[in-house]
């Protein structure tokens, strides 16, 4: 039998024989995971989340917001990496840069040089010049964790660097990737906020019924909200903490104890993920907001008041950015 390779027939051929629905597949009756296994999975992730909170420091998340996040996301978009890879790459980059700078600073302090200040300034300049390469290396690692056929090869990485005006050899690109892995002692984050979000959505669908919730739409909205939070992480969390802790911004900036408490909140992926789910549901069908918060409280124990406060801050920040963009667009 001959096969017509025209655009329309090719699309029909893929959809009819090899096509599969876009992932993730929520509440799949044939291949879905039972609630007990999902809950165990979520409990294990909650334990990892608790350890991250206990070991939180004020220096974490320095490189996981603003232009850093934007650059990581744009890099992942260039290589068409899945969303899981985007958030994994961002966390890898943040952890690497922090440990990398700490190691370099310790090295400078332990030398007998009398020009430590100028030496440190030279090192910072070199780190700045290598930042694009380091971001690419973190995206390479994330791509290998999330996909078997869309990995960023050395040739693809070199072409990307050349397009950006950088001249690195294939060996330098490999060395950079190894530098990231060795700096992190090969301890790469295994879960991202998106993993929490998808498990929570799956459990919500099983508890409330998949016919009640449009999980795929919520998932798409949640990704947009999570991306927004990553881009504006510091301003969102600062506003949240000032409101909930009833302290002024100046007190937060000057108090080491308060900043440590805020760092613990920033490391709470369970809180962020549950809030993003609630916000996604609220934006699509606000009638279900309260019921979803009640269910999430039963599933992962996050207090309903915390969900309400955090959601309010995120939605207010989104509205503020939309208003600012409209004003800027009008002036243009």
């Amino acid at each position: 039998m001959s096969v017509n390779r025209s655009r329309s027939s090719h699309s029909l051929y893929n959809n009819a024989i090899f096509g599969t629905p876009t992932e993730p597949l929520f509440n799949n009756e044939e291949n879905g995971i039972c609630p007990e296994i999902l809950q165990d999975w979520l409990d294990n992730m909650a334990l990892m989340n608790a350890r991250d909170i206990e070991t939180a420091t004020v220096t974490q998340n320095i490189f996981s917001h603003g232009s850093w996040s934007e650059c990581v996301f744009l890099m992942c978009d260039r290589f068409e990496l899945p969303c899981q890879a985007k958030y994994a790459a961002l966390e890898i980059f943040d952890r690497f840069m922090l440990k990398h700078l700490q190691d370099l600073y310790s090295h400078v302090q332990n030398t007998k040089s009398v020009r430590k200040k100028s030496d440190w300034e030279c090192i910072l300049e070199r780190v700045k010049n290598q930042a694009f390469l380091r971001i690419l290396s973190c995206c390479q690692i994330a791509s290998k964790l999330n996909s078997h056929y869309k990995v960023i090869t050395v040739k693809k990485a070199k072409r990307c660097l050349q397009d950006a005006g950088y001249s690195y050899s294939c060996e330098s690109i490999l060395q950079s990737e190894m530098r990231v892995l060795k700096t992190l002692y090969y301890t790469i984050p295994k879960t991202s906020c998106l993993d929490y979000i998808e498990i929570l959505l799956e459990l919500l669908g099983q508890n409330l019924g998949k016919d009640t919730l449009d999980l795929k739409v919520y998932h798409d909205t949640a990704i947009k909200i999570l991306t927004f939070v990553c881009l504006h992480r510091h301003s969102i969390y600062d506003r949240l903490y000032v409101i909930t802790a009833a302290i002024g911004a100046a007190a937060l900036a000057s108090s080491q104890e308060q900043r440590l408490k805020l760092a613990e909140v920033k490391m709470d992926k369970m809180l962020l993920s549950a809030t993003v789910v609630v916000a996604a549901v609220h934006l699509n069908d606000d009638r279900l907001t309260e019921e979803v918060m009640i269910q999430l409280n039963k599933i992962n124990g996050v207090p309903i008041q915390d969900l309400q406060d955090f959601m309010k801050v995120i939605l207010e920040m989104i509205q503020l950015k939309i208003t600012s963009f409209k004003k800027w667009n009008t002036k243009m």
Side-chain angles (χ1 to χ4, degrees), residues 46-239:
L47 289 174
M48 291 188 290
N49 186 59
R51 286 195 293 267
D52 288 341
I53 295 173
E54 290 174 0
T55 57
T57 65
V58 296
T59 53
Q60 288 173 304
N61 294 304
I62 293 178
F63 299 94
S64 61
H65 75 106
S67 57
W68 296 113
S69 298
E70 185 176 4
C71 189
V72 171
F73 291 160
L74 290 174
M75 182 79 73
C76 291
D77 286 341
R78 174 192 170 100
F79 293 102
E80 299 180 345
L81 298 182
C83 291
Q84 288 89 344
K86 291 183 180 182
Y87 305 117
L90 183 59
E91 186 165 353
I92 293 170
F93 178 70
D94 179 67
R95 294 191 179 190
F96 163 74
M97 286 298 290
L98 176 59
K99 184 66 168 62
H100 184 47
L101 287 171
Q102 289 173 338
D103 291 345
L104 292 173
Y105 186 76
S106 297
H107 174 73
V108 171
Q109 292 301 310
N110 292 330
T111 60
K112 298 181 180 180
S113 173
V114 296
R115 301 188 306 167
K116 291 184 179 181
K117 183 177 180 180
S118 59
D119 290 344
W120 178 240
E121 290 175 351
C122 291
I123 288 175
L124 287 180
E125 186 63 26
R126 187 168 71 248
V127 171
K128 180 180 177 181
N129 293 333
Q130 293 176 340
F132 193 85
L133 173 63
R134 301 307 189 192
I135 288 175
L136 180 55
S137 297
C138 293
C139 291
Q140 280 185 280
I141 296 170
S143 72
K144 295 173 182 178
L145 293 173
N146 287 274
S147 177
H148 66 284
Y149 69 96
K150 281 192 175 182
V151 296
I152 304 176
T153 63
V154 174
K155 289 184 178 180
K156 290 180 181 179
K158 184 176 182 179
R159 193 178 306 119
C160 176
L161 289 165
Q162 289 174 341
D163 292 344
Y166 295 94
S167 179
Y168 286 100
S169 65
C170 292
E171 183 179 355
S172 296
I173 295 171
L174 286 171
Q175 288 177 349
S176 177
E177 188 177 0
M178 288 303 300
R179 181 64 178 271
V180 172
L181 291 170
K182 289 181 179 179
T183 299
L184 296 176
Y185 302 108
Y186 297 92
T187 304
I188 306 301
K190 297 180 177 63
T191 59
S192 70
C193 281
L194 187 57
D195 296 311
Y196 287 84
I197 288 170
E198 292 179 350
I199 293 178
L200 292 177
L201 286 173
E202 179 74 12
L203 287 170
L204 280 175
Q206 293 180 356
N207 291 354
L208 297 178
K210 63 181 181 179
D211 295 331
T212 304
L213 306 174
D214 198 339
L215 297 176
K216 186 62 180 174
V217 173
Y218 301 158
H219 180 265
D220 293 341
T221 306
I223 289 176
K224 294 180 175 66
I225 296 173
L226 182 58
T227 300
F228 179 86
V229 172
C230 290
L231 293 172
H232 305 280
R233 181 185 298 272
H234 286 352
S235 56
I236 288 175
Y237 276 97
D238 286 351
R239 182 174 177 81

Side-chain angles (χ1 to χ4, degrees), residues 318-332:
I318 290 174
Q319 185 60 51
L320 180 63
K321 294 298 179 180
I322 291 174
T323 303
S324 299
F325 176 76
K326 287 181 178 179
K327 290 181 178 179
W328 175 82
N329 198 37
T330 302
K331 291 180 181 179
M332 295 297 290

